[in-house]
Amino acid sequence: MVSSLLSVDETVAQSNETPLCFSINNPTFKPNHTIASAYFSAIFSGLGLSSNLFALLVLAKTFQHTKSRSRSSFLLFLGGLVFTDFMGLLVTGSIVVSYHITHFNWRQLDPHCHFCNFMGMSMVFYGLCPLLLGAAMAMERFIGINRPFSRSTAMTNSRACSTVAIVWVTAGCISLLPLTGLGNYHLQVPGSWCFLNISSEPLDMTFSLIFSLVGLLSLAVSFLLNTVSVITLLKVCCGQDSRQRRRDYEVEMMVQLILIMAIASICWCPLLVFIAQTVLSGGELKVRRLLLWLRFATWNQILDPWVYILFRRAVLKRIAPNMDWSRGSIMSLSTSIRRLTRASLGGTGEQSENIRTNPDKTGREEMPLPVQNMPASSCSL
């Protein structure tokens, strides 16, 4: 009789065993269902989806009228970035909004953690894709500005699409690592989302560091390549060979890329550094900071499309019609600044500037007049 009761208890214990994705929250935390969180999640997701959808329509229209190969490939990269942000908000936002509206029970809905793993994979995938795409766009612009002839034959539209696909595959492979045993996806406070388990356990720490270091390395590569590209572009636009080919679109693309990099750095660096610092220090996870930095990172998906929507020459001309946004205006401004700087250093600056801009005239002024045969009386006078 006793043995039969023990066997029944063991069976009940096995059936009530906590799944791995809920193990860190056992007993399960009390969810906080408020109207404010439901409204906030819905408005946040709706704003991001509408912004990215509008940017996709503008990008598609611009791509149809683009004749420049370098600009068309850049638009393909930018389209891949906006599409990724759109899908990320659609997948993760729909789960979070559904949770706040229906108040479903994760353990009853997902007893084997399949749904939680899917959301955790989505968070990692759609988090790394914008950072990797930013690095790929920086590489494309670096080659296009510093090696224009090699880039014109190497980077076609098909290769740009292949590069975007490679970025997606890379981010997807990283997000699949917990399914192979490297790390875990766990349900996070307040119970509306799943993410990687941030702990000092060896496997969890390894996956957390991979996620953080890949993101930080992508931002570092973007910063380095964009800095070199900006310096080279300024030299070309303001140098002697500035009239060889138009640089208007390249300046526009470079400004957009710098803004995308700045937004990604501001939004993602706090979360990536926080994850790496937490797992390396072995301290307790600070949930409030995790939620704060996660909300910072989510803003990246909303702000990215507005970079292209607003920072275009066509839009800037409408916002400030009295300003001259042409390349000639930028060149004249840089020339004036350079002359002022040289004049402050000494009187030779303006002279050297005149010699460089009009060498023929200067040569004629410095060339001595020919000596003609004159009468002796004239010479005596």
Side-chain angles (χ1 to χ4, degrees):
M1 183 67 179
V2 176
S3 60
S4 62
L5 290 175
L6 291 175
S7 62
V8 172
D9 293 338
E10 292 177 357
T11 304
V12 173
Q14 292 177 359
S15 62
N16 293 330
E17 184 179 356
T18 303
L20 183 61
C21 60
F22 308 122
S23 59
I24 62 174
N25 297 314
N26 189 28
T28 307
F29 50 81
K30 185 178 180 180
N32 183 17
H33 301 299
T34 61
I35 299 178
S37 58
Y39 282 151
F40 176 80
S41 301
I43 294 174
F44 194 86
S45 300
L47 177 63
L49 290 174
S50 58
S51 301
N52 284 278
L53 183 60
F54 180 64
L56 283 174
L57 296 177
V58 176
L59 279 168
K61 183 178 179 180
T62 306
F63 183 79
Q64 292 177 354
H65 298 85
T66 298
K67 298 180 180 180
S68 173
R69 180 180 297 181
S70 61
R71 195 186 184 204
S72 62
S73 61
F74 181 80
L75 292 177
L76 288 175
F77 279 109
L78 194 57
L81 174 64
V82 175
F83 177 76
T84 303
D85 290 337
F86 176 83
M87 291 302 300
L89 286 171
L90 181 63
V91 174
T92 59
S94 59
I95 297 176
V96 174
V97 173
S98 299
Y99 171 81
H100 287 298
I101 294 177
T102 62
H103 304 163
F104 60 81
N105 191 316
W106 279 89
R107 296 190 62 173
Q108 294 180 0
L109 179 67
D110 186 28
H112 302 291
C113 295
H114 297 317
F115 191 48
C116 185
N117 288 334
F118 170 74
M119 186 175 186
M121 290 170 53
S122 300
M123 295 287 291
V124 172
F125 175 79
Y126 292 112
L128 289 179
C129 275
L131 305 180
L132 293 173
L133 283 173
M137 294 167 67
M139 178 66 72
E140 189 272 341
R141 284 290 80 215
F142 175 81
I143 298 176
I145 294 175
N146 294 274
R147 300 289 186 270
F149 297 104
S150 61
R151 184 237 169 256
S152 61
T153 57
M155 184 57 68
T156 59
N157 290 343
S158 59
R159 292 195 177 184
C161 295
S162 300
T163 304
V164 175
I166 292 173
V167 169
W168 287 342
V169 171
T170 303
C173 292
I174 295 176
S175 66
L176 289 173
L177 289 178
L179 301 185
T180 63
L182 185 62
N184 295 288
Y185 291 121
H186 282 202
L187 184 66
Q188 306 289 336
V189 178
S192 58
W193 61 297
C194 291
F195 195 50
L196 55 91
N197 186 23
I198 305 174
S199 69
S200 58
E201 296 293 330
L203 296 178
D204 292 333
M205 181 176 64
T206 302
F207 181 63
S208 299
L209 289 178
I210 290 175
F211 175 76
S212 300
L213 294 179
V214 169
L216 292 173
L217 182 62
S218 300
L219 292 174
V221 171
S222 300
F223 178 79
L224 178 62
L225 296 180
N226 288 335
T227 301
V228 177
S229 299
V230 168
I231 295 175
T232 304
L233 191 59
L234 289 176
K235 290 181 179 179
V236 173
C237 287
C238 303
Q240 296 181 0
D241 55 347
S242 59
R243 297 182 180 179
Q244 291 182 359
R245 53 177 178 162
R246 291 183 61 85
R247 294 279 177 171
D248 296 342
Y249 288 124
E250 293 188 359
V251 173
E252 177 184 320
M253 291 185 291
M254 205 67 236
V255 170
Q256 294 171 355
L257 186 56
I258 290 174
L259 291 175
I260 290 174
M261 179 195 67
I263 292 173
S265 300
I266 295 173
C267 293
W268 275 101
C269 275
L271 178 62
L272 297 174
V273 174
F274 171 76
I275 293 175
Q277 184 179 4
T278 302
V279 297
L280 291 176
S281 63
E284 184 180 358
L285 176 63
K286 298 179 181 179
V287 179
R288 291 182 179 272
R289 289 191 179 181
L290 174 62
L291 295 176
L292 176 62
W293 301 139
L294 181 71
R295 291 190 178 98
F296 260 76
T298 310
W299 274 103
N300 184 31
Q301 298 174 319
I302 297 179
L303 297 177
D304 273 344
W306 288 104
V307 170
Y308 181 74
I309 293 173
L310 296 178
F311 291 91
R312 292 179 297 146
R313 286 186 305 153
V315 177
L316 294 176
K317 287 179 181 179
R318 293 181 181 180
I319 296 176
N322 296 328
M323 294 187 64
D324 187 6
W325 299 97
S326 62
R327 176 175 56 92
S329 176
I330 299 175
M331 290 176 56
S332 62
L333 177 62
S334 62
T335 304
S336 301
I337 295 174
R338 188 168 60 250
R339 287 179 177 178
L340 180 61
T341 305
R342 290 179 178 178
S344 63
L345 295 177
T348 59
E350 185 175 357
Q351 181 180 359
S352 61
E353 177 69 20
N354 293 330
I355 295 174
R356 188 184 67 83
T357 55
N358 200 349
D360 297 334
K361 181 179 179 181
T362 306
R364 289 194 300 268
E365 292 177 354
E366 293 180 354
M367 183 178 300
L369 294 175
V371 179
Q372 299 179 354
N373 296 328
M374 302 180 65
S377 58
S378 300
C379 293
S380 62
L381 293 175

